[in-house]
mmCIF file of all heavy atoms in Angstrom:
data_model
loop_
_atom_site.group_PDB
_atom_site.id
_atom_site.type_symbol
_atom_site.label_atom_id
_atom_site.label_comp_id
_atom_site.label_asym_id
_atom_site.label_seq_id
_atom_site.Cartn_x
_atom_site.Cartn_y
_atom_site.Cartn_z
ATOM 1 N N ILE A 232 22.597 37.018 -8.572
ATOM 2 C CA ILE A 232 22.144 36.381 -7.327
ATOM 3 C C ILE A 232 20.706 35.866 -7.492
ATOM 4 O O ILE A 232 20.369 34.761 -7.064
ATOM 5 C CB ILE A 232 22.261 37.365 -6.140
ATOM 6 C CG1 ILE A 232 23.744 37.685 -5.892
ATOM 7 C CG2 ILE A 232 21.615 36.794 -4.881
ATOM 8 C CD1 ILE A 232 23.983 38.785 -4.865
ATOM 9 N N LEU A 233 19.882 36.681 -8.145
ATOM 10 C CA LEU A 233 18.504 36.277 -8.418
ATOM 11 C C LEU A 233 18.485 34.977 -9.230
ATOM 12 O O LEU A 233 17.768 34.025 -8.893
ATOM 13 C CB LEU A 233 17.753 37.395 -9.168
ATOM 14 C CG LEU A 233 16.326 37.058 -9.625
ATOM 15 C CD1 LEU A 233 15.417 36.759 -8.435
ATOM 16 C CD2 LEU A 233 15.726 38.208 -10.452
ATOM 17 N N GLU A 234 19.306 34.947 -10.287
ATOM 18 C CA GLU A 234 19.408 33.773 -11.151
ATOM 19 C C GLU A 234 19.796 32.530 -10.334
ATOM 20 O O GLU A 234 19.211 31.456 -10.501
ATOM 21 C CB GLU A 234 20.449 34.048 -12.245
ATOM 22 C CG GLU A 234 20.851 32.840 -13.103
ATOM 23 C CD GLU A 234 19.791 32.477 -14.120
ATOM 24 O OE1 GLU A 234 18.859 33.282 -14.369
ATOM 25 O OE2 GLU A 234 19.894 31.369 -14.673
ATOM 26 N N TYR A 235 20.765 32.682 -9.433
ATOM 27 C CA TYR A 235 21.238 31.564 -8.622
ATOM 28 C C TYR A 235 20.094 30.974 -7.780
ATOM 29 O O TYR A 235 19.895 29.759 -7.760
ATOM 30 C CB TYR A 235 22.394 32.023 -7.710
ATOM 31 C CG TYR A 235 22.802 30.961 -6.702
ATOM 32 C CD1 TYR A 235 23.647 29.912 -7.078
ATOM 33 C CD2 TYR A 235 22.321 30.991 -5.392
ATOM 34 C CE1 TYR A 235 24.005 28.930 -6.159
ATOM 35 C CE2 TYR A 235 22.675 30.030 -4.463
ATOM 36 C CZ TYR A 235 23.513 28.984 -4.852
ATOM 37 O OH TYR A 235 23.857 27.996 -3.947
ATOM 38 N N TYR A 236 19.342 31.843 -7.068
ATOM 39 C CA TYR A 236 18.296 31.343 -6.171
ATOM 40 C C TYR A 236 17.050 30.876 -6.923
ATOM 41 O O TYR A 236 16.345 29.982 -6.464
ATOM 42 C CB TYR A 236 17.957 32.387 -5.100
ATOM 43 C CG TYR A 236 19.039 32.434 -4.041
ATOM 44 C CD1 TYR A 236 19.967 33.472 -4.008
ATOM 45 C CD2 TYR A 236 19.182 31.410 -3.110
ATOM 46 C CE1 TYR A 236 20.991 33.497 -3.069
ATOM 47 C CE2 TYR A 236 20.200 31.425 -2.153
ATOM 48 C CZ TYR A 236 21.096 32.457 -2.142
ATOM 49 O OH TYR A 236 22.131 32.461 -1.216
ATOM 50 N N GLN A 237 16.783 31.459 -8.068
ATOM 51 C CA GLN A 237 15.674 30.955 -8.881
ATOM 52 C C GLN A 237 15.968 29.542 -9.385
ATOM 53 O O GLN A 237 15.077 28.694 -9.440
ATOM 54 C CB GLN A 237 15.392 31.900 -10.061
ATOM 55 C CG GLN A 237 14.653 33.171 -9.653
ATOM 56 C CD GLN A 237 14.377 34.101 -10.827
ATOM 57 O OE1 GLN A 237 15.039 34.019 -11.873
ATOM 58 N NE2 GLN A 237 13.412 34.989 -10.678
ATOM 59 N N GLU A 238 17.246 29.299 -9.758
ATOM 60 C CA GLU A 238 17.660 27.951 -10.181
ATOM 61 C C GLU A 238 17.657 26.985 -9.002
ATOM 62 O O GLU A 238 17.294 25.830 -9.140
ATOM 63 C CB GLU A 238 19.080 28.003 -10.791
ATOM 64 C CG GLU A 238 19.124 28.489 -12.228
ATOM 65 C CD GLU A 238 18.390 27.571 -13.207
ATOM 66 O OE1 GLU A 238 18.373 26.334 -12.988
ATOM 67 O OE2 GLU A 238 17.798 28.074 -14.160
ATOM 68 N N ARG A 239 18.102 27.502 -7.867
ATOM 69 C CA ARG A 239 18.187 26.683 -6.668
ATOM 70 C C ARG A 239 16.784 26.234 -6.222
ATOM 71 O O ARG A 239 16.558 25.051 -5.955
ATOM 72 C CB ARG A 239 18.886 27.479 -5.551
ATOM 73 C CG ARG A 239 18.818 26.875 -4.157
ATOM 74 C CD ARG A 239 19.896 25.879 -3.922
ATOM 75 N NE ARG A 239 19.592 24.968 -2.821
ATOM 76 C CZ ARG A 239 20.134 25.016 -1.611
ATOM 77 N NH1 ARG A 239 21.044 25.936 -1.358
ATOM 78 N NH2 ARG A 239 19.826 24.129 -0.697
ATOM 79 N N PHE A 240 15.853 27.184 -6.105
ATOM 80 C CA PHE A 240 14.521 26.872 -5.582
ATOM 81 C C PHE A 240 13.506 26.741 -6.722
ATOM 82 O O PHE A 240 12.717 27.652 -6.990
ATOM 83 C CB PHE A 240 14.080 27.937 -4.577
ATOM 84 C CG PHE A 240 15.016 28.094 -3.418
ATOM 85 C CD1 PHE A 240 15.505 29.352 -3.056
ATOM 86 C CD2 PHE A 240 15.434 26.990 -2.695
ATOM 87 C CE1 PHE A 240 16.368 29.488 -1.994
ATOM 88 C CE2 PHE A 240 16.306 27.129 -1.630
ATOM 89 C CZ PHE A 240 16.782 28.377 -1.277
ATOM 90 N N ARG A 241 13.521 25.587 -7.384
ATOM 91 C CA ARG A 241 12.604 25.365 -8.506
ATOM 92 C C ARG A 241 11.202 25.017 -8.020
ATOM 93 O O ARG A 241 10.233 25.184 -8.749
ATOM 94 C CB ARG A 241 13.142 24.242 -9.395
ATOM 95 C CG ARG A 241 14.475 24.599 -10.042
ATOM 96 C CD ARG A 241 14.908 23.576 -11.039
ATOM 97 N NE ARG A 241 16.211 23.896 -11.597
ATOM 98 C CZ ARG A 241 16.709 23.354 -12.681
ATOM 99 N NH1 ARG A 241 16.001 22.454 -13.343
ATOM 100 N NH2 ARG A 241 17.917 23.687 -13.129
ATOM 101 N N TYR A 242 11.112 24.508 -6.785
ATOM 102 C CA TYR A 242 9.814 24.161 -6.199
ATOM 103 C C TYR A 242 9.708 24.856 -4.835
ATOM 104 O O TYR A 242 10.494 24.584 -3.928
ATOM 105 C CB TYR A 242 9.660 22.643 -6.044
ATOM 106 C CG TYR A 242 9.574 21.939 -7.378
ATOM 107 C CD1 TYR A 242 10.730 21.536 -8.054
ATOM 108 C CD2 TYR A 242 8.343 21.703 -7.980
ATOM 109 C CE1 TYR A 242 10.660 20.922 -9.292
ATOM 110 C CE2 TYR A 242 8.265 21.075 -9.218
ATOM 111 C CZ TYR A 242 9.418 20.705 -9.867
ATOM 112 O OH TYR A 242 9.335 20.100 -11.101
ATOM 113 N N ILE A 243 8.732 25.746 -4.738
ATOM 114 C CA ILE A 243 8.579 26.532 -3.502
ATOM 115 C C ILE A 243 7.203 26.257 -2.889
ATOM 116 O O ILE A 243 6.188 26.269 -3.603
ATOM 117 C CB ILE A 243 8.741 28.054 -3.780
ATOM 118 C CG1 ILE A 243 10.146 28.334 -4.346
ATOM 119 C CG2 ILE A 243 8.504 28.867 -2.511
ATOM 120 C CD1 ILE A 243 10.333 29.761 -4.844
ATOM 121 N N MET A 244 7.188 26.014 -1.577
ATOM 122 C CA MET A 244 5.926 25.826 -0.852
ATOM 123 C C MET A 244 5.859 26.776 0.327
ATOM 124 O O MET A 244 6.848 26.921 1.064
ATOM 125 C CB MET A 244 5.812 24.377 -0.366
ATOM 126 C CG MET A 244 5.286 23.440 -1.433
ATOM 127 S SD MET A 244 5.653 21.714 -1.105
ATOM 128 C CE MET A 244 7.213 21.539 -1.882
ATOM 129 N N VAL A 245 4.701 27.416 0.504
ATOM 130 C CA VAL A 245 4.520 28.367 1.601
ATOM 131 C C VAL A 245 3.291 27.967 2.414
ATOM 132 O O VAL A 245 2.192 27.846 1.873
ATOM 133 C CB VAL A 245 4.350 29.821 1.083
ATOM 134 C CG1 VAL A 245 4.254 30.788 2.261
ATOM 135 C CG2 VAL A 245 5.505 30.210 0.176
ATOM 136 N N ASP A 246 3.491 27.772 3.714
ATOM 137 C CA ASP A 246 2.398 27.422 4.629
ATOM 138 C C ASP A 246 1.803 28.706 5.229
ATOM 139 O O ASP A 246 2.458 29.742 5.270
ATOM 140 C CB ASP A 246 2.948 26.513 5.736
ATOM 141 C CG ASP A 246 1.839 25.810 6.508
ATOM 142 O OD1 ASP A 246 0.665 25.878 6.095
ATOM 143 O OD2 ASP A 246 2.158 25.183 7.547
ATOM 144 N N GLU A 247 0.575 28.642 5.727
ATOM 145 C CA GLU A 247 -0.121 29.784 6.375
ATOM 146 C C GLU A 247 -0.060 31.042 5.500
ATOM 147 O O GLU A 247 0.229 32.152 5.976
ATOM 148 C CB GLU A 247 0.473 30.071 7.775
ATOM 149 C CG GLU A 247 0.455 28.900 8.741
ATOM 150 C CD GLU A 247 -0.931 28.576 9.297
ATOM 151 O OE1 GLU A 247 -1.915 29.217 8.880
ATOM 152 O OE2 GLU A 247 -1.031 27.650 10.119
ATOM 153 N N TYR A 248 -0.351 30.857 4.220
ATOM 154 C CA TYR A 248 -0.201 31.952 3.249
ATOM 155 C C TYR A 248 -1.099 33.149 3.570
ATOM 156 O O TYR A 248 -0.792 34.276 3.212
ATOM 157 C CB TYR A 248 -0.498 31.414 1.836
ATOM 158 C CG TYR A 248 -0.168 32.393 0.731
ATOM 159 C CD1 TYR A 248 1.145 32.760 0.479
ATOM 160 C CD2 TYR A 248 -1.167 32.961 -0.051
ATOM 161 C CE1 TYR A 248 1.449 33.668 -0.529
ATOM 162 C CE2 TYR A 248 -0.865 33.857 -1.066
ATOM 163 C CZ TYR A 248 0.437 34.215 -1.297
ATOM 164 O OH TYR A 248 0.741 35.119 -2.301
ATOM 165 N N GLN A 249 -2.215 32.898 4.268
ATOM 166 C CA GLN A 249 -3.129 34.006 4.602
ATOM 167 C C GLN A 249 -2.487 35.019 5.557
ATOM 168 O O GLN A 249 -2.970 36.129 5.706
ATOM 169 C CB GLN A 249 -4.437 33.480 5.214
ATOM 170 C CG GLN A 249 -4.349 32.997 6.664
ATOM 171 C CD GLN A 249 -3.795 31.604 6.800
ATOM 172 O OE1 GLN A 249 -3.622 30.888 5.831
ATOM 173 N NE2 GLN A 249 -3.499 31.186 8.027
ATOM 174 N N ASP A 250 -1.366 34.624 6.224
ATOM 175 C CA ASP A 250 -0.715 35.507 7.199
ATOM 176 C C ASP A 250 0.448 36.305 6.601
ATOM 177 O O ASP A 250 1.141 37.031 7.323
ATOM 178 C CB ASP A 250 -0.203 34.698 8.398
ATOM 179 C CG ASP A 250 -1.350 34.058 9.182
ATOM 180 O OD1 ASP A 250 -2.468 34.605 9.146
ATOM 181 O OD2 ASP A 250 -1.125 33.007 9.817
ATOM 182 N N THR A 251 0.678 36.181 5.284
ATOM 183 C CA THR A 251 1.813 36.905 4.675
ATOM 184 C C THR A 251 1.505 38.387 4.508
ATOM 185 O O THR A 251 0.361 38.778 4.300
ATOM 186 C CB THR A 251 2.183 36.316 3.293
ATOM 187 O OG1 THR A 251 0.986 36.299 2.472
ATOM 188 C CG2 THR A 251 2.767 34.936 3.395
ATOM 189 N N ASN A 252 2.564 39.218 4.591
ATOM 190 C CA ASN A 252 2.405 40.644 4.299
ATOM 191 C C ASN A 252 2.941 40.935 2.900
ATOM 192 O O ASN A 252 3.353 40.027 2.170
ATOM 193 C CB ASN A 252 3.090 41.503 5.374
ATOM 194 C CG ASN A 252 4.584 41.215 5.497
ATOM 195 O OD1 ASN A 252 5.230 40.798 4.524
ATOM 196 N ND2 ASN A 252 5.159 41.434 6.672
ATOM 197 N N THR A 253 2.955 42.187 2.523
ATOM 198 C CA THR A 253 3.304 42.564 1.143
ATOM 199 C C THR A 253 4.752 42.203 0.791
ATOM 200 O O THR A 253 5.030 41.685 -0.285
ATOM 201 C CB THR A 253 3.053 44.074 0.935
ATOM 202 O OG1 THR A 253 1.681 44.341 1.249
ATOM 203 C CG2 THR A 253 3.342 44.508 -0.491
ATOM 204 N N VAL A 254 5.694 42.470 1.692
ATOM 205 C CA VAL A 254 7.105 42.209 1.403
ATOM 206 C C VAL A 254 7.362 40.692 1.294
ATOM 207 O O VAL A 254 8.169 40.238 0.472
ATOM 208 C CB VAL A 254 8.036 42.908 2.436
ATOM 209 C CG1 VAL A 254 7.936 42.297 3.811
ATOM 210 C CG2 VAL A 254 9.476 42.905 1.964
ATOM 211 N N GLN A 255 6.671 39.890 2.099
ATOM 212 C CA GLN A 255 6.804 38.423 2.007
ATOM 213 C C GLN A 255 6.256 37.902 0.674
ATOM 214 O O GLN A 255 6.858 37.025 0.042
ATOM 215 C CB GLN A 255 6.076 37.757 3.181
ATOM 216 C CG GLN A 255 6.813 37.943 4.505
ATOM 217 C CD GLN A 255 5.959 37.667 5.720
ATOM 218 O OE1 GLN A 255 4.730 37.747 5.669
ATOM 219 N NE2 GLN A 255 6.593 37.360 6.840
ATOM 220 N N PHE A 256 5.130 38.472 0.264
ATOM 221 C CA PHE A 256 4.558 38.109 -1.038
ATOM 222 C C PHE A 256 5.539 38.448 -2.167
ATOM 223 O O PHE A 256 5.738 37.677 -3.097
ATOM 224 C CB PHE A 256 3.220 38.846 -1.229
ATOM 225 C CG PHE A 256 2.706 38.828 -2.643
ATOM 226 C CD1 PHE A 256 2.168 37.665 -3.180
ATOM 227 C CD2 PHE A 256 2.785 39.956 -3.442
ATOM 228 C CE1 PHE A 256 1.715 37.642 -4.496
ATOM 229 C CE2 PHE A 256 2.342 39.939 -4.751
ATOM 230 C CZ PHE A 256 1.797 38.777 -5.270
ATOM 231 N N LYS A 257 6.146 39.627 -2.052
ATOM 232 C CA LYS A 257 7.114 40.097 -3.051
ATOM 233 C C LYS A 257 8.286 39.121 -3.158
ATOM 234 O O LYS A 257 8.734 38.764 -4.240
ATOM 235 C CB LYS A 257 7.616 41.486 -2.642
ATOM 236 C CG LYS A 257 8.296 42.263 -3.757
ATOM 237 C CD LYS A 257 7.317 43.080 -4.572
ATOM 238 C CE LYS A 257 7.963 43.877 -5.637
ATOM 239 N NZ LYS A 257 6.992 44.340 -6.641
ATOM 240 N N LEU A 258 8.779 38.687 -2.008
ATOM 241 C CA LEU A 258 9.934 37.787 -1.953
ATOM 242 C C LEU A 258 9.651 36.474 -2.677
ATOM 243 O O LEU A 258 10.439 36.050 -3.538
ATOM 244 C CB LEU A 258 10.311 37.517 -0.489
ATOM 245 C CG LEU A 258 11.433 36.492 -0.251
ATOM 246 C CD1 LEU A 258 12.765 37.024 -0.748
ATOM 247 C CD2 LEU A 258 11.514 36.112 1.222
ATOM 248 N N ILE A 259 8.536 35.841 -2.346
ATOM 249 C CA ILE A 259 8.266 34.530 -2.951
ATOM 250 C C ILE A 259 7.883 34.677 -4.433
ATOM 251 O O ILE A 259 8.193 33.804 -5.250
ATOM 252 C CB ILE A 259 7.212 33.710 -2.180
ATOM 253 C CG1 ILE A 259 5.927 34.473 -1.995
ATOM 254 C CG2 ILE A 259 7.773 33.263 -0.834
ATOM 255 C CD1 ILE A 259 4.836 33.696 -1.320
ATOM 256 N N SER A 260 7.245 35.798 -4.788
ATOM 257 C CA SER A 260 6.896 36.038 -6.198
ATOM 258 C C SER A 260 8.158 36.128 -7.051
ATOM 259 O O SER A 260 8.226 35.572 -8.153
ATOM 260 C CB SER A 260 6.081 37.321 -6.361
ATOM 261 O OG SER A 260 4.914 37.266 -5.634
#
Side-chain angles (χ1 to χ4, degrees):
I232 294 172
L233 175 62
E234 170 76 14
Y235 172 81
Y236 284 104
Q237 284 180 340
E238 280 296 327
R239 168 85 200 255
F240 302 129
R241 296 187 183 195
Y242 292 87
I243 299 172
M244 277 161 271
V245 183
D246 195 9
E247 303 286 4
Y248 189 67
Q249 75 279 350
D250 296 333
T251 54
N252 59 28
T253 303
V254 69
Q255 288 163 336
F256 166 74
K257 197 89 178 163
L258 175 68
I259 55 176
S260 301

